[in-house]
Amino acid sequence: MRSSWLRPPRRYAAAVLVSALALTTVAACGTSSSGGGDNSGGGGSADASTPLDPKTKVTLTIDCMPPATKKPELKEWNEDVAAFNKKYPNVTIQGRSTPGQCEEPARFTAAIKAHSQPDVFYTYFTDLQQVLDNNGAEDISAYVTDKTVPALGDIDPNVLGVLKQDGKLYGLPTSNYRMGLLINRKLFTQAGLDPNNPPTTWDEVRTDAKAIAKLGNGIAGYGDYSAANTGGWHFTAAMYGLGGDVVSSDGTKAAFNDDLGKQIVDNLHAMRWDDNSMGQTQLLKWGDLQKQMATDKLGMFLAAPDDITYMVQQLNAKYENFGMGPIPGGKATLFGGNDYMIKKGSSPDKIKAAIAWLNFETLTPGKGTFDYSRRKADGLPVGLPQPAFLTGASKTKDDELKAASATMPVENFKVFMDNPVPGKSEPPKAQEIYKVLDNVMSGVLTNKNADPGKLLSDAEKQVNQVLANG
Amino acid sequence: MSAPTLATNEAQQRPGQLGSSRAKNSREGFARALRRNLSAHAFLIGAVLCFAFFSWFPMVREFILAFQKTKGGQTTWAGWSNLTYIFNDPAFWQAWRNTLLFTGLALVFGFAVPFLVAVTLNEFRHGQGYLRMLVYLPVMLPPVASVLLFKYFYDPGYGLFNRVLQILHLPQQQWLQDTHTAMLSVVIAATWMNMGGATLIYLAALQGIPGELYEAAELDGAGLLRKIWHVTIPQTRLILSLMLLMQIIATMQVFTEPFLLTGGEGPEGSTTTVVYLIYQYAFYFNNYGSAAALGLVLLVLLAGFSAAYVRLSRSSED
């Protein structure tokens, strides 16, 4: 009898306990999100064009904070936050660091879809459409003025243009690149070539590649990508260099199945199979060619200047070993870069605080990431021809400051700097088109009997379909 | 004790009250059963909620997404357009051809090889535990490490396989860089990585076969091959069928191996699989609708195989 009345309460207690534990587990399984909630404490001005009121109390979450493994960069970030807080003591900056690249497409796409991006989030120039499709960013046109961003008039209008849609501005640039031809000076010298005069046409590239490949020992003269959408990206860069395009000006048709496209494919086929100057290992993607060049196994490839930083910082290469020339053809060069956008639903105070931070950290010569003397003191590289979005007086000042603290032989980039090639932005639906063009690149680099005409016409049909799907 | 009491109560009631009384009793029975199993139900809540959040809800969401389109921040119903899009995408048919090729090759290698290895291992009287461990060892390696190992082996310039071919004076291959051998190379790597588990399952099934059957077959003059054909295969038929279905279900979802070995696409798209295409739609093209639609097509196909698997599992329990 006793047990019969004792048992139920025990059972209920156990049930309640287990339920509570289960619910706690589920709660722990869930994700936390900064959400669209706003914690601004007010105090700001209602006028969007005026700078942030120093009394404004607001908290900002920002991604792409340097990770703990990058000690000097993280130290500088913390110093910059402290300096920013001297002027804006009530703005709390909550940096978020990410493993690997600041933006990885899969992670970024998921975050944008789930609206879990931070208040101020890092994107590539090509991400604008995706962000807007998912209602992810604020229109900051009214907030970005020469009062809030004094260097606004000196920012390259082409760069600002890629961050606009229908005349509305959605982001502020932090860095950009123009592609050129990266060379290994050591191999050039060993092959009897002049490293101060990198090739400027594809014929010259082919000749020099052949000479470098003759060094033997597994050394390739020229390398190119053909996987993970990077092959299509490089094909596009090569087309731009020759004055061509991959998409018609109205954005409705593929435009690469022409003499220029065929010239690029034929040249790659000749270098790969006739000259054997591109090595046997193909299906390469970003990171692979850098490894080859850092270990003196590759003479040339199309690259952005910050590839050198990657090779020096991650692969223990030396700056003096590399040089850059303009992209072969020199008609136009693909430019890209990254920027910060502000999450949709942010309060005016948050937007103002974000712009104040971005202006301080990435848009003021001599401050933040442009504080070259500090970078030099911290052992970070100074002297790369990148970023390149400043013009006019800001560029002059930036160049002077950079030259004064250069940590690398900047004369190695002289040909690249002295022969500026007009920048051209990436095509619409860039990633989908690059994916299709990857097949052209992988086809010509892995199949000796590949038919360039068929590769291009198949790709043309697919790209037309991609574009037709809107 | 309770059943006679209930029967007595029912007998005492008038016919008109019988229906409502039954319903009441049924409710009481249910409540009693609920109370009796309350702890068990409570223990289940966590798992049920986790499944609901992370499996069932995404499935329902995927179904809805397959018929929606998001553009300019607006999500609208898209009818069949996502399905039309994927059926018109040339990559769709190529991905299915590649996936079926992978499945076919994986059945030849991944299904037959572990079975033959298990049969061979079963014949050993000594050192079987040691050999089992050797066969299972690759499964314990992290998949990414195994794949990267094979990526090195397959390198046409400095890879191990071409080095071996060179020593044997045989023509060197392009392995992952040739449209004709890329998928086969992926299958070989996948088989090496995963065959340990299947081998152990086959071995367990083989060891459950009564020895008398082999003795009887030997008395009838059967050789090794006839013993395998007439004793081993019939006795392990059910396990073989289950493993076959499991292999089909698993291989049709292949992603990791081609993704790491060839970057996903391979030369001229020759290793693009259906799941990799879903990944591309979603994460490279931001086209969740098409990704969900393709996921739905795959789901329908695999649901058929899964139903067959469940049916076979039940018959094995019987």
Side-chain angles (χ1 to χ4, degrees):
Chain A
M1 284 295 289
R2 205 175 163 193
S3 61
S4 66
W5 65 266
L6 267 179
R7 205 173 291 142
R10 263 191 199 165
R11 213 160 49 211
Y12 291 137
V16 168
L17 186 64
V18 169
S19 307
L21 280 171
L23 288 169
T24 312
T25 309
V26 168
C29 285
T31 53
S32 64
S33 164
S34 66
D38 211 305
N39 57 353
S40 60
S45 160
D47 182 0
S49 63
T50 55
L52 178 70
D53 182 341
K55 291 178 195 155
T56 308
K57 190 174 180 182
V58 69
T59 299
L60 287 179
T61 52
I62 302 176
D63 60 3
C64 201
M65 180 181 81
T69 48
K70 291 186 170 178
K71 281 183 186 166
E73 288 93 336
L74 183 58
K75 172 190 149 280
E76 292 188 357
W77 170 280
N78 289 330
E79 285 171 2
D80 289 346
V81 170
F84 181 74
N85 281 151
K86 276 187 184 161
K87 187 170 180 188
Y88 301 106
N90 298 318
V91 176
T92 307
I93 304 279
Q94 291 182 347
R96 290 182 186 174
S97 58
T98 42
Q101 303 263 1
C102 283
E103 184 193 319
E104 282 168 3
R107 188 175 60 207
F108 177 76
T109 306
I112 290 292
K113 194 78 186 168
H115 297 286
S116 62
Q117 71 270 38
D119 300 323
V120 187
F121 60 100
Y122 178 101
T123 84
Y124 295 136
F125 285 174
T126 47
D127 293 330
L128 179 62
Q129 192 57 52
Q130 177 184 354
V131 172
L132 295 183
D133 280 348
N134 290 288
N135 213 11
E138 277 289 340
D139 167 14
I140 55 172
S141 314
Y143 295 88
V144 178
T145 64
D146 49 11
K147 285 182 198 160
T148 57
V149 181
L152 180 63
D154 286 342
I155 297 177
D156 184 343
N158 289 325
V159 171
L160 275 183
V162 298
L163 298 170
K164 285 181 181 174
Q165 195 174 83
D166 300 328
K168 294 174 184 170
L169 182 68
Y170 291 95
L172 284 172
T174 56
S175 186
N176 71 323
Y177 67 86
R178 286 165 193 265
M179 286 184 79
L181 185 72
L182 182 59
I183 65 161
N184 182 312
R185 292 175 61 85
K186 191 173 165 185
L187 293 181
F188 259 65
T189 308
Q190 284 177 10
L193 304 168
D194 179 5
N196 295 319
N197 282 304
T200 55
T201 66
W202 282 109
D203 284 341
E204 289 175 9
V205 169
R206 185 179 171 187
T207 308
D208 289 0
K210 213 191 288 189
I212 293 167
K214 275 188 186 158
L215 293 171
N217 200 23
I219 293 171
Y222 178 78
D224 221 329
Y225 302 128
S226 49
N229 296 9
T230 53
W233 175 50
H234 267 201
F235 179 88
T236 304
M239 281 295 285
Y240 285 5
L242 293 176
D245 213 331
V246 292
V247 172
S248 61
S249 54
D250 61 359
T252 58
K253 293 277 176 201
F256 51 79
N257 187 13
D258 57 11
D259 289 345
L260 292 180
K262 196 160 179 305
Q263 186 184 329
I264 291 166
V265 176
D266 285 342
N267 191 56
L268 286 170
H269 187 273
M271 284 199 285
R272 169 71 178 94
W273 300 106
D274 300 342
D275 305 344
N276 198 21
S277 63
M278 290 185 70
Q280 290 193 60
T281 307
Q282 301 301 329
L283 299 181
L284 304 172
K285 56 186 184 301
W286 201 94
D288 296 333
L289 292 174
Q290 289 82 346
K291 287 188 188 82
Q292 291 182 15
M293 187 167 264
T295 51
D296 295 331
K297 292 288 182 190
L298 177 64
M300 296 173 275
F301 73 101
L302 296 183
D306 63 352
D307 283 34
I308 303 174
T309 309
Y310 172 76
M311 289 191 286
V312 172
Q313 291 186 341
Q314 307 291 323
L315 307 172
N316 297 320
K318 290 192 169 72
Y319 280 107
E320 53 268 29
N321 206 13
F322 308 110
M324 270 196 100
I327 193 158
K331 295 281 194 331
T333 187
L334 187 146
F335 82 80
N338 40 267
D339 58 281
Y340 273 105
M341 294 184 187
I342 298 163
K343 188 177 183 178
K344 184 81 175 177
S346 299
S347 69
D349 280 351
K350 250 188 189 183
I351 298 172
K352 283 187 179 187
I355 289 168
W357 165 256
L358 293 175
N359 176 59
F360 172 80
E361 181 68 357
T362 63
L363 295 166
T364 309
K367 295 264 180 67
T369 53
F370 292 119
D371 186 346
Y372 298 122
S373 58
R374 181 181 64 175
R375 283 183 72 80
K376 184 179 182 181
D378 288 337
L380 292 170
V382 179
L384 284 177
Q386 186 179 326
F389 60 78
L390 291 175
T391 60
S394 297
K395 181 179 177 353
T396 309
K397 188 178 177 188
D398 185 58
D399 285 348
E400 282 169 9
L401 293 170
K402 199 185 281 180
S405 300
T407 60
M408 63 185 77
V410 289
E411 63 274 11
N412 291 355
F413 312 116
K414 194 171 183 310
V415 187
F416 180 76
M417 296 292 282
D418 290 350
N419 298 280
V421 178
K424 189 168 179 174
S425 59
E426 295 179 77
K429 291 188 166 266
Q431 293 301 329
E432 285 163 271
I433 291 171
Y434 293 164
K435 178 211 156 198
V436 174
L437 291 172
D438 260 5
N439 285 344
V440 175
M441 296 292 277
S442 66
V444 75
L445 295 177
T446 62
N447 182 3
K448 188 175 185 178
N449 301 315
D451 176 355
K454 187 172 183 314
L455 286 173
L456 286 169
S457 70
D458 286 351
E460 182 185 32
K461 280 179 212 151
Q462 290 183 41
V463 169
N464 282 341
Q465 192 184 4
V466 165
L467 295 170
N469 278 316
Chain B
M1 284 297 286
S2 60
T5 319
L6 272 175
T8 315
N9 287 344
E10 273 184 22
Q12 286 169 351
Q13 282 169 346
R14 284 196 295 251
Q17 290 177 311
L18 205 59
S20 62
S21 169
R22 270 188 189 148
K24 193 180 167 195
N25 287 335
S26 160
R27 273 199 303 276
E28 279 176 1
F30 176 73
R32 227 183 350 262
L34 195 67
R35 276 198 298 277
R36 195 168 52 242
N37 297 318
L38 195 59
S39 303
H41 289 303
F43 273 108
L44 276 175
I45 286 176
V48 168
L49 288 181
C50 267
F51 270 111
F53 274 113
F54 299 113
S55 291
W56 304 326
F57 173 69
M59 281 183 199
V60 174
R61 189 86 185 95
E62 189 213 4
F63 186 80
I64 295 168
L65 270 177
F67 299 98
Q68 287 182 333
K69 202 160 229 169
T70 302
K71 187 93 183 158
Q74 300 291 318
T75 299
T76 51
W77 291 106
W80 300 101
S81 67
N82 289 326
L83 283 162
T84 313
Y85 174 85
I86 59 167
F87 283 118
N88 285 327
D89 183 358
F92 173 82
W93 299 109
Q94 187 182 25
W96 275 108
R97 277 197 302 274
N98 293 340
T99 304
L100 292 174
L101 177 65
F102 182 88
T103 302
L105 289 171
L107 290 185
V108 172
F109 288 91
F111 184 61
V113 173
F115 183 70
L116 292 176
V117 170
V119 169
T120 311
L121 278 184
N122 200 35
E123 294 298 314
F124 281 90
R125 293 194 186 278
H126 301 289
Q128 208 182 75
Y130 174 70
L131 291 169
R132 270 204 306 260
M133 187 198 73
L134 279 186
V135 170
Y136 196 72
L137 213 52
V139 181
M140 295 196 288
L141 284 176
V144 174
S146 303
V147 171
L148 293 180
L149 199 66
F150 267 86
K151 196 170 181 180
Y152 162 71
F153 290 165
Y154 282 134
D155 190 282
Y158 52 81
L160 178 74
F161 290 158
N162 269 359
R163 183 80 186 121
V164 171
L165 291 177
Q166 192 184 17
I167 290 168
L168 298 173
H169 299 287
L170 290 169
Q172 299 193 9
Q173 301 297 317
Q174 290 294 306
W175 302 109
L176 295 165
Q177 300 182 21
D178 187 324
T179 49
H180 301 104
T181 53
M183 193 55 101
L184 179 67
S185 306
V186 173
V187 170
I188 290 171
T191 303
W192 183 84
M193 286 162 58
N194 301 313
M195 65 178 271
T199 304
L200 289 194
I201 292 171
Y202 290 137
L203 201 55
L206 290 175
Q207 289 176 349
I209 301 173
E212 300 86 50
L213 294 178
Y214 288 110
E215 285 166 16
E218 275 174 25
L219 286 175
D220 289 341
L224 179 65
L225 288 178
R226 292 191 68 188
K227 275 194 287 183
I228 290 174
W229 186 253
H230 291 291
V231 178
T232 308
I233 291 178
Q235 287 293 314
T236 54
R237 183 185 56 81
L238 206 59
I239 287 289
L240 285 173
S241 311
L242 285 172
M243 291 298 287
L244 179 74
L245 281 170
M246 275 176 69
Q247 287 261 37
I248 292 172
I249 293 166
T251 53
M252 290 192 82
Q253 298 176 72
V254 63
F255 175 80
T256 310
E257 290 87 352
F259 183 68
L260 292 172
L261 282 170
T262 66
E265 296 151 23
E268 297 180 62
S270 57
T271 62
T272 299
T273 62
V274 172
V275 177
Y276 179 72
L277 193 59
I278 292 173
Y279 176 82
Q280 272 203 327
Y281 282 152
F283 296 115
Y284 280 116
F285 307 161
N286 188 35
N287 189 345
Y288 277 80
S290 298
L294 184 50
L296 205 59
V297 172
L298 185 65
L299 178 77
V300 169
L301 193 74
L302 292 184
F305 286 111
S306 300
Y309 175 78
V310 170
R311 204 183 162 91
L312 267 174
S313 304
R314 281 190 186 148
S315 61
S316 76
E317 283 165 12
D318 296 341

